[in-house]
Amino acid sequence: MNILLIYATNSGTTMLTAQTISDNLTQKGHTVTMKEVRASTPEDIQNAQAVILGSPSWDFDGHEGMPHEDYVPLMEKLKTKTYEGKPFAVFGLGDSSYTHFCGAVDHLEELVSTMKGKLLVPSLRIDKFFSDQTRHMESIGAWTNDLVGQLTGIPT
């Protein structure tokens, strides 16, 4: 399956997570195109068979728990688009000491709903990535395996 993985990163941990997800999916026979959000377009989403969205959570424009600021222009463009039933998955990185832990995930899930997409699996929320990198890599692997299981039944 042709999967588009759109991500934004600040310190590099979201990119590392995206790369790990991409590697896991590729090992399972899927084709993954990773794109930074600022280089992504609604047409990219239209052309993909499935889409994964990933972002750290930010304090953007005075609002805690927002997606990375690079997501804002694409999100604005996507609010008027419909991708009826298109398979999506969402992951986010955050810090549970903040009020809105992985709030970016909530915003991305809402975006998928607005576009009439279909979330295939519960979203992955990673707390303080470097505090226990081994455990987080295991949870990324388990989440990706769940995603692969859901992708299996989708016609290509």
Side-chain angles (χ1 to χ4, degrees):
M1 179 171 284
N2 176 20
I3 301 168
L4 175 63
L5 196 162
I6 298 174
Y7 71 95
T9 195
N10 180 45
S11 64
T13 54
T14 307
M15 183 177 65
L16 175 60
T17 301
Q19 186 63 59
T20 302
I21 292 168
S22 175
D23 291 347
N24 291 345
L25 290 169
T26 300
Q27 289 172 5
K28 303 284 186 179
H30 297 281
T31 301
V32 180
T33 301
M34 284 181 50
K35 286 190 91 170
E36 288 191 55
V37 68
R38 64 178 167 246
S40 301
T41 66
E43 292 75 26
D44 295 330
I45 292 172
Q46 180 64 43
N47 294 331
Q49 292 174 300
V51 180
I52 302 171
L53 305 173
S55 179
S57 292
W58 279 85
D59 183 348
F60 177 71
D61 201 23
H63 298 96
E64 185 184 301
M66 299 297 292
H68 189 283
E69 65 185 315
D70 288 349
Y71 254 101
V72 174
L74 181 63
M75 290 175 74
E76 285 300 315
K77 292 175 189 172
L78 292 174
K79 285 181 180 178
T80 61
K81 302 292 182 186
T82 300
Y83 301 101
E84 186 82 38
K86 182 172 284 283
F88 281 85
V90 174
F91 71 95
L93 284 76
D95 184 328
S96 60
S97 67
Y98 288 91
T99 303
H100 302 286
F101 169 61
C102 284
V105 168
D106 299 328
H107 289 279
L108 294 175
E109 287 176 342
E110 182 179 322
L111 178 65
V112 170
S113 176
T114 298
M115 298 183 299
K116 299 189 185 326
K118 178 183 178 190
L119 282 173
L120 293 179
V121 294
S123 297
L124 176 63
R125 297 170 191 259
I126 298 174
D127 187 16
K128 301 175 193 156
F129 183 86
F130 286 115
S131 68
D132 190 346
Q133 193 170 351
T134 301
R135 181 175 57 85
H136 291 307
M137 289 302 220
E138 290 170 359
S139 65
I140 293 166
W143 183 81
T144 306
N145 286 339
D146 289 346
L147 179 58
V148 167
Q150 294 300 312
L151 291 169
T152 303
I154 297 172
T156 55

mmCIF file of all heavy atoms in Angstrom, residues 3 5 17-28 30 32 52 89 91 121-122 124 136-152:
data_model
loop_
_atom_site.group_PDB
_atom_site.id
_atom_site.type_symbol
_atom_site.label_atom_id
_atom_site.label_comp_id
_atom_site.label_asym_id
_atom_site.label_seq_id
_atom_site.Cartn_x
_atom_site.Cartn_y
_atom_site.Cartn_z
ATOM 1 N N ILE A 3 1.599 4.658 1.335
ATOM 2 C CA ILE A 3 1.280 5.408 2.547
ATOM 3 C C ILE A 3 2.067 6.708 2.580
ATOM 4 O O ILE A 3 3.285 6.711 2.347
ATOM 5 C CB ILE A 3 1.603 4.577 3.807
ATOM 6 C CG1 ILE A 3 0.807 3.263 3.787
ATOM 7 C CG2 ILE A 3 1.328 5.381 5.076
ATOM 8 C CD1 ILE A 3 1.256 2.258 4.817
ATOM 9 N N LEU A 5 3.357 9.666 5.013
ATOM 10 C CA LEU A 5 3.585 9.978 6.421
ATOM 11 C C LEU A 5 4.030 11.441 6.499
ATOM 12 O O LEU A 5 5.127 11.785 6.073
ATOM 13 C CB LEU A 5 4.658 9.054 6.998
ATOM 14 C CG LEU A 5 4.743 8.995 8.516
ATOM 15 C CD1 LEU A 5 5.508 7.761 8.949
ATOM 16 C CD2 LEU A 5 5.347 10.227 9.128
ATOM 17 N N THR A 17 10.654 9.182 15.297
ATOM 18 C CA THR A 17 9.465 8.334 15.419
ATOM 19 C C THR A 17 8.874 8.051 14.043
ATOM 20 O O THR A 17 8.528 6.907 13.727
ATOM 21 C CB THR A 17 8.424 8.996 16.338
ATOM 22 O OG1 THR A 17 9.005 9.209 17.626
ATOM 23 C CG2 THR A 17 7.176 8.140 16.479
ATOM 24 N N ALA A 18 8.768 9.085 13.206
ATOM 25 C CA ALA A 18 8.243 8.913 11.853
ATOM 26 C C ALA A 18 9.107 7.935 11.059
ATOM 27 O O ALA A 18 8.586 7.054 10.362
ATOM 28 C CB ALA A 18 8.168 10.258 11.140
ATOM 29 N N GLN A 19 10.414 8.065 11.179
ATOM 30 C CA GLN A 19 11.322 7.166 10.453
ATOM 31 C C GLN A 19 11.169 5.728 10.938
ATOM 32 O O GLN A 19 11.180 4.788 10.142
ATOM 33 C CB GLN A 19 12.770 7.627 10.606
ATOM 34 C CG GLN A 19 13.745 6.831 9.753
ATOM 35 C CD GLN A 19 13.477 6.989 8.267
ATOM 36 O OE1 GLN A 19 13.501 8.098 7.744
ATOM 37 N NE2 GLN A 19 13.192 5.893 7.571
ATOM 38 N N THR A 20 11.004 5.549 12.238
ATOM 39 C CA THR A 20 10.807 4.210 12.798
ATOM 40 C C THR A 20 9.511 3.594 12.278
ATOM 41 O O THR A 20 9.479 2.427 11.888
ATOM 42 C CB THR A 20 10.806 4.271 14.341
ATOM 43 O OG1 THR A 20 12.050 4.834 14.779
ATOM 44 C CG2 THR A 20 10.632 2.897 14.954
ATOM 45 N N ILE A 21 8.444 4.380 12.263
ATOM 46 C CA ILE A 21 7.164 3.908 11.724
ATOM 47 C C ILE A 21 7.331 3.547 10.253
ATOM 48 O O ILE A 21 6.891 2.482 9.803
ATOM 49 C CB ILE A 21 6.061 4.970 11.921
ATOM 50 C CG1 ILE A 21 5.737 5.134 13.413
ATOM 51 C CG2 ILE A 21 4.804 4.620 11.114
ATOM 52 C CD1 ILE A 21 4.891 6.351 13.734
ATOM 53 N N SER A 22 7.984 4.413 9.491
ATOM 54 C CA SER A 22 8.210 4.164 8.070
ATOM 55 C C SER A 22 9.002 2.876 7.858
ATOM 56 O O SER A 22 8.632 2.040 7.017
ATOM 57 C CB SER A 22 8.954 5.348 7.452
ATOM 58 O OG SER A 22 9.282 5.079 6.102
ATOM 59 N N ASP A 23 10.076 2.691 8.607
ATOM 60 C CA ASP A 23 10.898 1.482 8.484
ATOM 61 C C ASP A 23 10.073 0.235 8.796
ATOM 62 O O ASP A 23 10.161 -0.765 8.081
ATOM 63 C CB ASP A 23 12.106 1.550 9.418
ATOM 64 C CG ASP A 23 13.126 2.603 9.010
ATOM 65 O OD1 ASP A 23 13.046 3.127 7.876
ATOM 66 O OD2 ASP A 23 14.003 2.919 9.848
ATOM 67 N N ASN A 24 9.278 0.292 9.861
ATOM 68 C CA ASN A 24 8.443 -0.857 10.237
ATOM 69 C C ASN A 24 7.428 -1.186 9.148
ATOM 70 O O ASN A 24 7.213 -2.365 8.823
ATOM 71 C CB ASN A 24 7.713 -0.596 11.560
ATOM 72 C CG ASN A 24 8.642 -0.564 12.754
ATOM 73 O OD1 ASN A 24 9.787 -0.991 12.691
ATOM 74 N ND2 ASN A 24 8.152 -0.031 13.861
ATOM 75 N N LEU A 25 6.800 -0.172 8.571
ATOM 76 C CA LEU A 25 5.815 -0.401 7.517
ATOM 77 C C LEU A 25 6.477 -0.931 6.244
ATOM 78 O O LEU A 25 5.922 -1.804 5.567
ATOM 79 C CB LEU A 25 5.039 0.882 7.226
ATOM 80 C CG LEU A 25 4.074 1.330 8.313
ATOM 81 C CD1 LEU A 25 3.578 2.748 8.041
ATOM 82 C CD2 LEU A 25 2.908 0.363 8.436
ATOM 83 N N THR A 26 7.647 -0.411 5.921
ATOM 84 C CA THR A 26 8.381 -0.867 4.744
ATOM 85 C C THR A 26 8.766 -2.337 4.890
ATOM 86 O O THR A 26 8.651 -3.117 3.935
ATOM 87 C CB THR A 26 9.625 0.011 4.515
ATOM 88 O OG1 THR A 26 9.196 1.365 4.327
ATOM 89 C CG2 THR A 26 10.410 -0.434 3.294
ATOM 90 N N GLN A 27 9.175 -2.727 6.093
ATOM 91 C CA GLN A 27 9.523 -4.129 6.352
ATOM 92 C C GLN A 27 8.321 -5.047 6.170
ATOM 93 O O GLN A 27 8.479 -6.235 5.900
ATOM 94 C CB GLN A 27 10.094 -4.292 7.759
ATOM 95 C CG GLN A 27 11.463 -3.702 7.928
ATOM 96 C CD GLN A 27 11.919 -3.700 9.380
ATOM 97 O OE1 GLN A 27 11.250 -4.226 10.273
ATOM 98 N NE2 GLN A 27 13.080 -3.096 9.623
ATOM 99 N N LYS A 28 7.130 -4.500 6.309
ATOM 100 C CA LYS A 28 5.899 -5.289 6.146
ATOM 101 C C LYS A 28 5.350 -5.207 4.718
ATOM 102 O O LYS A 28 4.232 -5.622 4.451
ATOM 103 C CB LYS A 28 4.816 -4.810 7.122
ATOM 104 C CG LYS A 28 5.216 -4.839 8.573
ATOM 105 C CD LYS A 28 5.210 -6.239 9.119
ATOM 106 C CE LYS A 28 5.480 -6.182 10.624
ATOM 107 N NZ LYS A 28 5.478 -7.473 11.237
ATOM 108 N N HIS A 30 4.922 -2.361 2.723
ATOM 109 C CA HIS A 30 4.247 -1.127 2.296
ATOM 110 C C HIS A 30 5.267 -0.133 1.741
ATOM 111 O O HIS A 30 6.446 -0.178 2.090
ATOM 112 C CB HIS A 30 3.492 -0.506 3.472
ATOM 113 C CG HIS A 30 2.401 -1.376 3.979
ATOM 114 N ND1 HIS A 30 1.180 -1.478 3.359
ATOM 115 C CD2 HIS A 30 2.346 -2.229 5.041
ATOM 116 C CE1 HIS A 30 0.418 -2.333 4.004
ATOM 117 N NE2 HIS A 30 1.104 -2.803 5.038
ATOM 118 N N VAL A 32 6.266 3.719 1.783
ATOM 119 C CA VAL A 32 6.009 4.897 2.618
ATOM 120 C C VAL A 32 6.780 6.091 2.066
ATOM 121 O O VAL A 32 7.982 6.001 1.817
ATOM 122 C CB VAL A 32 6.418 4.644 4.086
ATOM 123 C CG1 VAL A 32 6.144 5.885 4.931
ATOM 124 C CG2 VAL A 32 5.701 3.428 4.646
ATOM 125 N N ILE A 52 -0.592 9.005 7.410
ATOM 126 C CA ILE A 52 -0.229 9.080 8.827
ATOM 127 C C ILE A 52 0.193 10.512 9.104
ATOM 128 O O ILE A 52 1.010 11.077 8.373
ATOM 129 C CB ILE A 52 0.917 8.103 9.170
ATOM 130 C CG1 ILE A 52 0.516 6.667 8.829
ATOM 131 C CG2 ILE A 52 1.299 8.237 10.649
ATOM 132 C CD1 ILE A 52 1.667 5.672 8.923
ATOM 133 N N ALA A 89 -4.010 7.565 10.268
ATOM 134 C CA ALA A 89 -3.514 7.252 11.604
ATOM 135 C C ALA A 89 -2.794 8.497 12.103
ATOM 136 O O ALA A 89 -2.293 9.302 11.310
ATOM 137 C CB ALA A 89 -2.584 6.050 11.585
ATOM 138 N N PHE A 91 -0.097 10.146 15.260
ATOM 139 C CA PHE A 91 0.785 9.974 16.411
ATOM 140 C C PHE A 91 1.299 11.332 16.860
ATOM 141 O O PHE A 91 1.342 12.286 16.077
ATOM 142 C CB PHE A 91 1.951 9.012 16.111
ATOM 143 C CG PHE A 91 2.995 9.566 15.176
ATOM 144 C CD1 PHE A 91 4.143 10.180 15.679
ATOM 145 C CD2 PHE A 91 2.864 9.460 13.802
ATOM 146 C CE1 PHE A 91 5.118 10.682 14.827
ATOM 147 C CE2 PHE A 91 3.827 9.949 12.945
ATOM 148 C CZ PHE A 91 4.969 10.565 13.459
ATOM 149 N N VAL A 121 -6.632 3.154 13.793
ATOM 150 C CA VAL A 121 -6.223 2.654 15.111
ATOM 151 C C VAL A 121 -6.243 3.811 16.097
ATOM 152 O O VAL A 121 -6.180 4.969 15.699
ATOM 153 C CB VAL A 121 -4.798 2.032 15.073
ATOM 154 C CG1 VAL A 121 -4.765 0.768 14.224
ATOM 155 C CG2 VAL A 121 -3.766 3.035 14.578
ATOM 156 N N PRO A 122 -6.324 3.507 17.400
ATOM 157 C CA PRO A 122 -6.195 4.593 18.378
ATOM 158 C C PRO A 122 -4.856 5.299 18.191
ATOM 159 O O PRO A 122 -3.844 4.659 17.871
ATOM 160 C CB PRO A 122 -6.256 3.868 19.723
ATOM 161 C CG PRO A 122 -6.976 2.587 19.443
ATOM 162 C CD PRO A 122 -6.578 2.204 18.039
ATOM 163 N N LEU A 124 -1.327 7.126 18.683
ATOM 164 C CA LEU A 124 -0.149 6.870 19.508
ATOM 165 C C LEU A 124 0.267 8.174 20.178
ATOM 166 O O LEU A 124 0.471 9.189 19.507
ATOM 167 C CB LEU A 124 0.991 6.329 18.635
ATOM 168 C CG LEU A 124 2.331 6.090 19.308
ATOM 169 C CD1 LEU A 124 2.218 5.018 20.395
ATOM 170 C CD2 LEU A 124 3.383 5.713 18.275
ATOM 171 N N HIS A 136 9.615 3.233 24.470
ATOM 172 C CA HIS A 136 8.876 3.962 23.446
ATOM 173 C C HIS A 136 9.051 3.326 22.071
ATOM 174 O O HIS A 136 8.094 3.255 21.291
ATOM 175 C CB HIS A 136 9.264 5.438 23.429
ATOM 176 C CG HIS A 136 8.809 6.169 24.647
ATOM 177 N ND1 HIS A 136 7.502 6.147 25.093
ATOM 178 C CD2 HIS A 136 9.476 6.929 25.540
ATOM 179 C CE1 HIS A 136 7.390 6.860 26.194
ATOM 180 N NE2 HIS A 136 8.578 7.347 26.490
ATOM 181 N N MET A 137 10.238 2.825 21.777
ATOM 182 C CA MET A 137 10.449 2.136 20.497
ATOM 183 C C MET A 137 9.586 0.868 20.439
ATOM 184 O O MET A 137 9.032 0.546 19.385
ATOM 185 C CB MET A 137 11.922 1.793 20.288
ATOM 186 C CG MET A 137 12.763 3.014 20.015
ATOM 187 S SD MET A 137 12.182 3.900 18.559
ATOM 188 C CE MET A 137 13.719 4.344 17.829
ATOM 189 N N GLU A 138 9.444 0.197 21.556
ATOM 190 C CA GLU A 138 8.576 -0.986 21.605
ATOM 191 C C GLU A 138 7.115 -0.598 21.367
ATOM 192 O O GLU A 138 6.388 -1.281 20.644
ATOM 193 C CB GLU A 138 8.726 -1.715 22.942
ATOM 194 C CG GLU A 138 10.062 -2.409 23.107
ATOM 195 C CD GLU A 138 10.304 -2.926 24.514
ATOM 196 O OE1 GLU A 138 9.441 -2.733 25.405
ATOM 197 O OE2 GLU A 138 11.385 -3.519 24.724
ATOM 198 N N SER A 139 6.683 0.526 21.959
ATOM 199 C CA SER A 139 5.287 0.947 21.769
ATOM 200 C C SER A 139 5.061 1.416 20.332
ATOM 201 O O SER A 139 3.979 1.180 19.769
ATOM 202 C CB SER A 139 4.876 2.017 22.782
ATOM 203 O OG SER A 139 5.599 3.201 22.602
ATOM 204 N N ILE A 140 6.060 2.023 19.710
ATOM 205 C CA ILE A 140 5.950 2.410 18.296
ATOM 206 C C ILE A 140 5.802 1.153 17.443
ATOM 207 O O ILE A 140 4.966 1.094 16.536
ATOM 208 C CB ILE A 140 7.173 3.240 17.849
ATOM 209 C CG1 ILE A 140 7.179 4.594 18.565
ATOM 210 C CG2 ILE A 140 7.180 3.424 16.333
ATOM 211 C CD1 ILE A 140 8.503 5.345 18.456
ATOM 212 N N GLY A 141 6.594 0.127 17.741
ATOM 213 C CA GLY A 141 6.503 -1.135 16.998
ATOM 214 C C GLY A 141 5.147 -1.793 17.156
ATOM 215 O O GLY A 141 4.547 -2.263 16.173
ATOM 216 N N ALA A 142 4.626 -1.816 18.370
ATOM 217 C CA ALA A 142 3.309 -2.432 18.614
ATOM 218 C C ALA A 142 2.212 -1.646 17.897
ATOM 219 O O ALA A 142 1.309 -2.234 17.281
ATOM 220 C CB ALA A 142 3.030 -2.499 20.112
ATOM 221 N N TRP A 143 2.279 -0.320 17.958
ATOM 222 C CA TRP A 143 1.294 0.526 17.286
ATOM 223 C C TRP A 143 1.342 0.294 15.778
ATOM 224 O O TRP A 143 0.299 0.166 15.116
ATOM 225 C CB TRP A 143 1.551 1.992 17.629
ATOM 226 C CG TRP A 143 0.572 2.961 17.050
ATOM 227 C CD1 TRP A 143 -0.664 3.274 17.534
ATOM 228 C CD2 TRP A 143 0.746 3.774 15.878
ATOM 229 N NE1 TRP A 143 -1.258 4.230 16.735
ATOM 230 C CE2 TRP A 143 -0.412 4.556 15.722
ATOM 231 C CE3 TRP A 143 1.786 3.921 14.959
ATOM 232 C CZ2 TRP A 143 -0.574 5.458 14.683
ATOM 233 C CZ3 TRP A 143 1.624 4.814 13.915
ATOM 234 C CH2 TRP A 143 0.457 5.577 13.788
ATOM 235 N N THR A 144 2.553 0.241 15.225
ATOM 236 C CA THR A 144 2.700 0.007 13.787
ATOM 237 C C THR A 144 2.137 -1.354 13.401
ATOM 238 O O THR A 144 1.469 -1.490 12.370
ATOM 239 C CB THR A 144 4.180 0.123 13.372
ATOM 240 O OG1 THR A 144 4.697 1.385 13.801
ATOM 241 C CG2 THR A 144 4.332 0.020 11.865
ATOM 242 N N ASN A 145 2.368 -2.374 14.223
ATOM 243 C CA ASN A 145 1.803 -3.701 13.944
ATOM 244 C C ASN A 145 0.278 -3.662 13.940
ATOM 245 O O ASN A 145 -0.361 -4.296 13.096
ATOM 246 C CB ASN A 145 2.319 -4.737 14.939
ATOM 247 C CG ASN A 145 3.760 -5.117 14.678
ATOM 248 O OD1 ASN A 145 4.275 -4.944 13.579
ATOM 249 N ND2 ASN A 145 4.420 -5.629 15.697
ATOM 250 N N ASP A 146 -0.309 -2.931 14.886
ATOM 251 C CA ASP A 146 -1.768 -2.769 14.903
ATOM 252 C C ASP A 146 -2.246 -2.086 13.619
ATOM 253 O O ASP A 146 -3.249 -2.482 13.026
ATOM 254 C CB ASP A 146 -2.225 -1.952 16.111
ATOM 255 C CG ASP A 146 -2.083 -2.696 17.428
ATOM 256 O OD1 ASP A 146 -1.883 -3.929 17.409
ATOM 257 O OD2 ASP A 146 -2.164 -2.033 18.481
ATOM 258 N N LEU A 147 -1.505 -1.069 13.205
ATOM 259 C CA LEU A 147 -1.846 -0.339 11.981
ATOM 260 C C LEU A 147 -1.768 -1.274 10.769
ATOM 261 O O LEU A 147 -2.674 -1.283 9.932
ATOM 262 C CB LEU A 147 -0.922 0.865 11.813
ATOM 263 C CG LEU A 147 -1.130 1.715 10.571
ATOM 264 C CD1 LEU A 147 -2.550 2.262 10.493
ATOM 265 C CD2 LEU A 147 -0.105 2.851 10.544
ATOM 266 N N VAL A 148 -0.711 -2.066 10.689
ATOM 267 C CA VAL A 148 -0.562 -3.012 9.580
ATOM 268 C C VAL A 148 -1.749 -3.967 9.540
ATOM 269 O O VAL A 148 -2.285 -4.264 8.465
ATOM 270 C CB VAL A 148 0.775 -3.789 9.680
ATOM 271 C CG1 VAL A 148 0.799 -4.988 8.743
ATOM 272 C CG2 VAL A 148 1.948 -2.855 9.403
ATOM 273 N N GLY A 149 -2.180 -4.424 10.699
ATOM 274 C CA GLY A 149 -3.339 -5.306 10.756
ATOM 275 C C GLY A 149 -4.586 -4.673 10.175
ATOM 276 O O GLY A 149 -5.385 -5.332 9.483
ATOM 277 N N GLN A 150 -4.769 -3.388 10.413
ATOM 278 C CA GLN A 150 -5.937 -2.677 9.878
ATOM 279 C C GLN A 150 -5.783 -2.387 8.386
ATOM 280 O O GLN A 150 -6.770 -2.382 7.645
ATOM 281 C CB GLN A 150 -6.177 -1.382 10.650
ATOM 282 C CG GLN A 150 -6.576 -1.600 12.085
ATOM 283 C CD GLN A 150 -7.859 -2.399 12.200
ATOM 284 O OE1 GLN A 150 -8.843 -2.112 11.539
ATOM 285 N NE2 GLN A 150 -7.832 -3.426 13.020
ATOM 286 N N LEU A 151 -4.553 -2.140 7.952
ATOM 287 C CA LEU A 151 -4.307 -1.862 6.535
ATOM 288 C C LEU A 151 -4.527 -3.090 5.663
ATOM 289 O O LEU A 151 -4.873 -2.973 4.494
ATOM 290 C CB LEU A 151 -2.875 -1.344 6.333
ATOM 291 C CG LEU A 151 -2.559 0.036 6.882
ATOM 292 C CD1 LEU A 151 -1.055 0.286 6.846
ATOM 293 C CD2 LEU A 151 -3.311 1.114 6.122
ATOM 294 N N THR A 152 -4.338 -4.254 6.245
ATOM 295 C CA THR A 152 -4.439 -5.507 5.501
ATOM 296 C C THR A 152 -5.794 -5.670 4.818
ATOM 297 O O THR A 152 -5.869 -6.146 3.693
ATOM 298 C CB THR A 152 -4.149 -6.709 6.425
ATOM 299 O OG1 THR A 152 -2.852 -6.525 6.995
ATOM 300 C CG2 THR A 152 -4.195 -8.010 5.679
#
